Amino acid sequence: MLFALNKAALFNGLGWQDAMELAEKYGFDRLETWTFPDEEVRVVQALMQQDRMKLAGLCPDEFILNDPAKYEDYERALLHALDKLVLLDGTHIITQVGDDNGMPLEDQIKATTNGLRQIAPSMESKDKVLVVEPLNTHKEHPNAWLDGSDICADILIDVGSPYVKMLYDVYHMLHMGEDVYTQIAKHWDLIDYIHFAGFPLRNQDLQIGFDYRALLKWLKKEGFRGTIGFEMMPDEGITMDQTLSMLQELVSEI
Protein backbone atom coordinates (compact mmCIF):
# COMPACT_ATOMS: atom_id res chain seq x y z
CA MET A 1 0.00 0.00 0.00
CA LEU A 2 1.25 3.47 -0.94
CA PHE A 3 0.22 6.75 0.69
CA ALA A 4 -0.09 10.17 -0.91
CA LEU A 5 -0.91 13.60 0.50
CA ASN A 6 -3.08 15.90 -1.59
CA LYS A 7 -1.05 19.05 -2.07
CA ALA A 8 -4.00 21.19 -3.13
CA ALA A 9 -6.28 20.18 -0.25
CA LEU A 10 -3.92 19.68 2.69
CA PHE A 11 -1.23 22.31 2.33
CA ASN A 12 -3.34 25.49 2.32
CA GLY A 13 -1.59 27.40 -0.44
CA LEU A 14 1.98 26.36 0.34
CA GLY A 15 4.40 26.16 -2.55
CA TRP A 16 5.67 22.80 -3.74
CA GLN A 17 9.01 23.00 -1.97
CA ASP A 18 7.45 23.80 1.40
CA ALA A 19 4.81 21.11 0.91
CA MET A 20 7.48 18.53 0.06
CA GLU A 21 9.52 19.45 3.10
CA LEU A 22 6.50 19.08 5.37
CA ALA A 23 5.52 15.78 3.77
CA GLU A 24 9.04 14.41 4.26
CA LYS A 25 9.11 15.67 7.84
CA TYR A 26 6.20 13.36 8.61
CA GLY A 27 7.48 10.39 6.65
CA PHE A 28 5.54 10.72 3.38
CA ASP A 29 7.22 10.46 -0.02
CA ARG A 30 4.24 10.96 -2.37
CA LEU A 31 2.03 13.89 -3.24
CA GLU A 32 -1.04 14.09 -5.42
CA THR A 33 -2.74 17.19 -6.78
CA TRP A 34 -5.60 18.39 -8.95
CA THR A 35 -4.89 20.36 -12.13
CA PHE A 36 -1.26 21.22 -12.67
CA PRO A 37 -0.24 24.59 -14.22
CA ASP A 38 2.21 24.20 -17.09
CA GLU A 39 4.64 26.74 -15.64
CA GLU A 40 5.12 24.63 -12.49
CA VAL A 41 6.09 21.37 -14.18
CA ARG A 42 9.82 21.88 -14.67
CA VAL A 43 10.26 23.46 -11.26
CA VAL A 44 8.45 20.60 -9.54
CA GLN A 45 10.35 18.05 -11.62
CA ALA A 46 13.66 19.42 -10.29
CA LEU A 47 12.35 19.56 -6.72
CA MET A 48 11.09 15.98 -6.84
CA GLN A 49 14.35 14.68 -8.23
CA GLN A 50 16.26 16.55 -5.55
CA ASP A 51 14.02 15.50 -2.66
CA ARG A 52 13.21 11.99 -3.91
CA MET A 53 9.51 12.84 -3.73
CA LYS A 54 7.09 11.07 -6.08
CA LEU A 55 3.88 12.20 -7.75
CA ALA A 56 0.99 9.81 -7.19
CA GLY A 57 -1.61 11.54 -9.32
CA LEU A 58 -2.85 14.64 -11.10
CA CYS A 59 -5.98 15.66 -13.02
CA PRO A 60 -6.52 16.83 -16.59
CA ASP A 61 -8.02 20.27 -17.17
CA GLU A 62 -11.08 18.78 -18.89
CA PHE A 63 -13.51 16.21 -17.48
CA ILE A 64 -16.30 15.77 -20.04
CA LEU A 65 -16.43 12.18 -21.26
CA ASN A 66 -20.16 11.59 -21.55
CA ASP A 67 -20.63 13.64 -24.74
CA PRO A 68 -19.07 12.37 -28.00
CA ALA A 69 -18.90 15.95 -29.27
CA LYS A 70 -16.43 16.70 -26.45
CA TYR A 71 -14.10 13.73 -27.02
CA GLU A 72 -11.53 15.78 -28.86
CA ASP A 73 -11.34 18.36 -26.06
CA TYR A 74 -11.09 15.67 -23.41
CA GLU A 75 -8.42 13.72 -25.28
CA ARG A 76 -6.35 16.85 -25.81
CA ALA A 77 -6.51 17.67 -22.09
CA LEU A 78 -5.81 14.07 -21.09
CA LEU A 79 -2.76 13.77 -23.33
CA HIS A 80 -1.43 17.08 -22.04
CA ALA A 81 -1.83 15.82 -18.46
CA LEU A 82 -0.16 12.55 -19.47
CA ASP A 83 2.87 14.46 -20.76
CA LYS A 84 3.15 16.20 -17.38
CA LEU A 85 2.76 12.90 -15.55
CA VAL A 86 5.58 11.35 -17.57
CA LEU A 87 7.90 14.31 -16.95
CA LEU A 88 7.20 14.08 -13.22
CA ASP A 89 7.52 10.28 -13.17
CA GLY A 90 4.02 10.02 -11.73
CA THR A 91 1.76 7.00 -11.77
CA HIS A 92 -1.92 8.03 -12.13
CA ILE A 93 -4.20 10.47 -13.86
CA ILE A 94 -7.39 11.07 -11.87
CA THR A 95 -10.45 11.81 -13.96
CA GLN A 96 -14.11 12.54 -13.50
CA VAL A 97 -16.51 12.05 -16.42
CA GLY A 98 -18.78 15.09 -16.60
CA ASP A 99 -22.06 16.52 -15.39
CA ASP A 100 -25.41 15.08 -16.40
CA ASN A 101 -26.09 16.51 -19.85
CA GLY A 102 -29.72 15.45 -20.07
CA MET A 103 -29.08 12.52 -22.38
CA PRO A 104 -30.54 9.14 -21.34
CA LEU A 105 -28.33 7.41 -18.80
CA GLU A 106 -27.54 4.54 -21.15
CA ASP A 107 -26.29 7.03 -23.75
CA GLN A 108 -24.01 8.73 -21.22
CA ILE A 109 -22.69 5.33 -20.14
CA LYS A 110 -22.03 4.35 -23.76
CA ALA A 111 -20.32 7.65 -24.54
CA THR A 112 -18.10 7.42 -21.47
CA THR A 113 -17.20 3.81 -22.23
CA ASN A 114 -16.25 4.69 -25.80
CA GLY A 115 -14.22 7.68 -24.66
CA LEU A 116 -12.26 5.60 -22.17
CA ARG A 117 -11.62 2.92 -24.77
CA GLN A 118 -10.30 5.61 -27.08
CA ILE A 119 -7.83 6.94 -24.52
CA ALA A 120 -6.71 3.59 -23.03
CA PRO A 121 -3.97 2.92 -25.64
CA SER A 122 -2.32 6.24 -24.80
CA MET A 123 -2.21 5.29 -21.14
CA GLU A 124 -0.79 1.89 -22.01
CA SER A 125 1.87 3.41 -24.28
CA LYS A 126 3.25 5.38 -21.30
CA ASP A 127 2.59 2.62 -18.73
CA LYS A 128 0.41 4.95 -16.65
CA VAL A 129 -3.03 4.33 -15.14
CA LEU A 130 -6.15 6.43 -15.58
CA VAL A 131 -8.47 6.18 -12.58
CA VAL A 132 -12.14 7.13 -12.91
CA GLU A 133 -13.74 8.73 -9.85
CA PRO A 134 -17.47 8.52 -9.06
CA LEU A 135 -18.67 11.56 -7.09
CA ASN A 136 -21.41 12.34 -4.61
CA THR A 137 -24.45 14.28 -5.79
CA HIS A 138 -25.67 15.14 -2.29
CA LYS A 139 -23.14 17.88 -1.49
CA GLU A 140 -20.30 19.02 -3.72
CA HIS A 141 -21.32 17.67 -7.14
CA PRO A 142 -25.11 17.81 -7.50
CA ASN A 143 -24.98 17.56 -11.30
CA ALA A 144 -22.51 14.68 -11.65
CA TRP A 145 -24.07 11.71 -13.45
CA LEU A 146 -21.55 9.07 -12.31
CA ASP A 147 -22.35 8.81 -8.61
CA GLY A 148 -21.87 5.15 -7.76
CA SER A 149 -19.22 2.47 -7.92
CA ASP A 150 -21.46 -0.17 -9.54
CA ILE A 151 -22.05 1.85 -12.71
CA CYS A 152 -18.37 2.80 -12.78
CA ALA A 153 -17.39 -0.86 -12.50
CA ASP A 154 -19.71 -1.84 -15.35
CA ILE A 155 -18.07 0.79 -17.56
CA LEU A 156 -14.55 -0.32 -16.65
CA ILE A 157 -15.37 -3.97 -17.32
CA ASP A 158 -16.62 -2.98 -20.77
CA VAL A 159 -13.51 -0.90 -21.41
CA GLY A 160 -11.43 -3.93 -20.47
CA SER A 161 -8.07 -2.24 -19.97
CA PRO A 162 -5.68 -2.70 -17.02
CA TYR A 163 -4.68 0.92 -17.64
CA VAL A 164 -8.16 2.26 -16.87
CA LYS A 165 -9.26 1.60 -13.29
CA MET A 166 -11.41 3.08 -10.51
CA LEU A 167 -10.64 5.64 -7.86
CA TYR A 168 -12.93 4.78 -4.94
CA ASP A 169 -13.44 7.93 -2.89
CA VAL A 170 -14.75 6.78 0.47
CA TYR A 171 -16.07 10.22 1.42
CA HIS A 172 -18.08 10.56 -1.80
CA MET A 173 -19.47 7.05 -1.69
CA LEU A 174 -20.44 7.31 1.99
CA HIS A 175 -22.53 10.33 1.04
CA MET A 176 -24.15 8.16 -1.64
CA GLY A 177 -25.07 5.58 0.99
CA GLU A 178 -22.72 2.83 -0.16
CA ASP A 179 -21.52 0.08 2.14
CA VAL A 180 -17.85 0.84 1.65
CA TYR A 181 -16.47 -2.55 2.67
CA THR A 182 -18.95 -4.43 0.48
CA GLN A 183 -18.35 -2.24 -2.55
CA ILE A 184 -14.57 -2.25 -2.31
CA ALA A 185 -14.58 -6.04 -1.96
CA LYS A 186 -17.02 -6.36 -4.86
CA HIS A 187 -14.89 -4.24 -7.19
CA TRP A 188 -11.51 -5.15 -5.71
CA ASP A 189 -9.77 -5.95 -9.00
CA LEU A 190 -10.91 -2.68 -10.56
CA ILE A 191 -9.87 -0.33 -7.75
CA ASP A 192 -6.34 1.04 -7.99
CA TYR A 193 -6.70 4.16 -5.87
CA ILE A 194 -8.72 5.10 -2.77
CA HIS A 195 -9.35 8.55 -1.31
CA PHE A 196 -9.79 9.21 2.40
CA ALA A 197 -11.42 12.30 3.94
CA GLY A 198 -13.39 12.82 7.14
CA PHE A 199 -17.09 12.04 6.92
CA PRO A 200 -19.42 13.91 6.73
CA LEU A 201 -17.37 17.15 6.62
CA ARG A 202 -14.37 16.17 4.45
CA ASN A 203 -12.11 17.33 7.25
CA GLN A 204 -9.22 15.79 9.16
CA ASP A 205 -11.43 13.69 11.44
CA LEU A 206 -10.99 10.10 10.25
CA GLN A 207 -12.70 8.27 13.10
CA ILE A 208 -15.92 9.84 14.35
CA GLY A 209 -18.24 9.80 11.32
CA PHE A 210 -16.52 6.78 9.78
CA ASP A 211 -13.67 4.68 11.15
CA TYR A 212 -10.93 4.99 8.54
CA ARG A 213 -8.43 3.38 10.90
CA ALA A 214 -10.43 0.16 10.79
CA LEU A 215 -10.80 0.42 7.01
CA LEU A 216 -7.07 0.87 6.58
CA LYS A 217 -6.34 -2.19 8.71
CA TRP A 218 -8.86 -4.18 6.67
CA LEU A 219 -7.30 -3.04 3.39
CA LYS A 220 -3.89 -4.17 4.62
CA LYS A 221 -5.28 -7.51 5.78
CA GLU A 222 -6.92 -8.06 2.39
CA GLY A 223 -3.70 -7.19 0.56
CA PHE A 224 -4.57 -3.89 -1.13
CA ARG A 225 -1.57 -2.82 -3.20
CA GLY A 226 -2.85 0.45 -4.65
CA THR A 227 -2.56 4.04 -3.48
CA ILE A 228 -4.36 5.70 -0.57
CA GLY A 229 -4.71 9.44 -1.13
CA PHE A 230 -5.49 11.75 1.80
CA GLU A 231 -7.71 14.42 0.25
CA MET A 232 -9.19 16.12 3.29
CA MET A 233 -9.57 19.82 4.07
CA PRO A 234 -8.70 20.41 7.74
CA ASP A 235 -11.03 22.50 9.89
CA GLU A 236 -10.16 26.11 10.60
CA GLY A 237 -7.79 26.23 13.55
CA ILE A 238 -6.26 22.83 12.81
CA THR A 239 -2.65 23.30 11.76
CA MET A 240 -0.98 21.38 8.98
CA ASP A 241 1.41 19.92 11.54
CA GLN A 242 -1.49 18.60 13.60
CA THR A 243 -3.10 16.96 10.58
CA LEU A 244 0.13 15.48 9.27
CA SER A 245 1.08 14.20 12.72
CA MET A 246 -2.27 12.42 12.92
CA LEU A 247 -1.80 10.91 9.45
CA GLN A 248 1.74 9.82 10.35
CA GLU A 249 0.40 8.04 13.40
CA LEU A 250 -2.38 6.41 11.36
CA VAL A 251 -0.02 5.11 8.72
CA SER A 252 2.61 3.97 11.24
CA GLU A 253 0.10 1.52 12.71
CA ILE A 254 -0.24 -0.29 9.40
Side-chain angles (χ1 to χ4, degrees):
M1 221 173 343
L2 304 173
F3 298 98
L5 305 176
N6 188 285
K7 191 261 182 190
L10 274 170
F11 290 98
N12 195 26
L14 284 185
W16 279 93
Q17 184 168 3
D18 290 337
M20 288 180 193
E21 288 175 358
L22 258 181
E24 289 180 327
K25 174 182 175 182
Y26 288 96
F28 293 93
D29 64 357
R30 282 173 173 77
L31 295 176
E32 62 173 37
T33 191
W34 297 331
T35 56
F36 206 119
D38 292 351
E39 61 270 17
E40 293 184 0
V41 173
R42 292 294 182 181
V43 174
V44 174
Q45 181 186 30
L47 288 172
M48 286 188 166
Q49 289 172 345
Q50 173 184 322
D51 293 341
R52 299 185 299 279
M53 184 69 62
K54 298 182 183 301
L55 183 71
L58 57 80
C59 299
D61 296 330
E62 175 63 68
F63 284 128
I64 300 175
L65 257 172
N66 56 332
D67 183 351
K70 302 289 187 179
Y71 281 172
E72 187 175 333
D73 293 339
Y74 178 83
E75 185 171 22
R76 185 184 304 113
L78 191 286
L79 293 176
H80 190 49
L82 184 57
D83 286 342
K84 296 176 189 178
L85 192 72
V86 170
L87 281 172
L88 296 169
D89 196 26
T91 55
H92 293 79
I93 292 180
I94 299 167
T95 191
Q96 297 158 20
V97 297
D99 287 343
D100 190 332
N101 55 24
M103 295 167 55
L105 178 59
E106 58 268 25
D107 291 343
Q108 296 191 63
I109 291 173
K110 181 178 179 181
T112 300
T113 303
N114 289 340
L116 291 171
R117 281 191 187 129
Q118 183 172 304
I119 206 65
S122 296
M123 301 303 301
E124 182 174 4
S125 71
K126 303 298 184 181
D127 194 28
K128 307 298 182 184
V129 178
L130 180 66
V131 283
V132 180
E133 180 181 17
L135 303 171
N136 85 76
T137 51
H138 290 175
K139 289 189 69 176
E140 291 87 350
H141 304 278
N143 298 316
W145 75 267
L146 182 59
D147 60 0
S149 60
D150 285 339
I151 296 178
C152 185
D154 289 343
I155 290 170
L156 297 177
I157 290 168
D158 283 348
V159 172
S161 170
Y163 295 91
V164 183
K165 297 269 192 167
M166 188 190 305
L167 187 158
Y168 191 93
D169 188 305
V170 177
Y171 165 83
H172 284 309
M173 294 301 95
L174 283 171
H175 274 295
M176 295 310 299
E178 289 198 357
D179 182 321
V180 169
Y181 287 88
T182 298
Q183 293 302 103
I184 291 176
K186 182 178 180 181
H187 304 308
W188 186 267
D189 291 338
L190 295 172
I191 296 172
D192 206 47
Y193 213 114
I194 298 175
H195 268 164
F196 281 18
F199 178 77
L201 299 178
R202 200 174 183 176
N203 60 4
Q204 77 289 340
D205 190 345
L206 297 182
Q207 287 195 266
I208 292 181
F210 178 80
D211 190 349
Y212 282 91
R213 192 180 302 270
L215 176 61
L216 198 54
K217 290 179 178 178
W218 177 78
L219 288 168
K220 180 183 180 182
K221 175 177 175 290
E222 296 298 318
F224 182 68
R225 297 182 179 278
T227 299
I228 304 291
F230 295 107
E231 194 193 27
M232 67 276 290
M233 299 176 184
D235 293 330
E236 186 175 350
I238 301 296
T239 68
M240 282 180 267
D241 282 291
Q242 287 174 312
T243 300
L244 295 176
S245 178
M246 178 271 294
L247 293 177
Q248 181 187 46
E249 179 184 357
L250 179 69
V251 169
S252 70
E253 296 179 2
I254 303 305

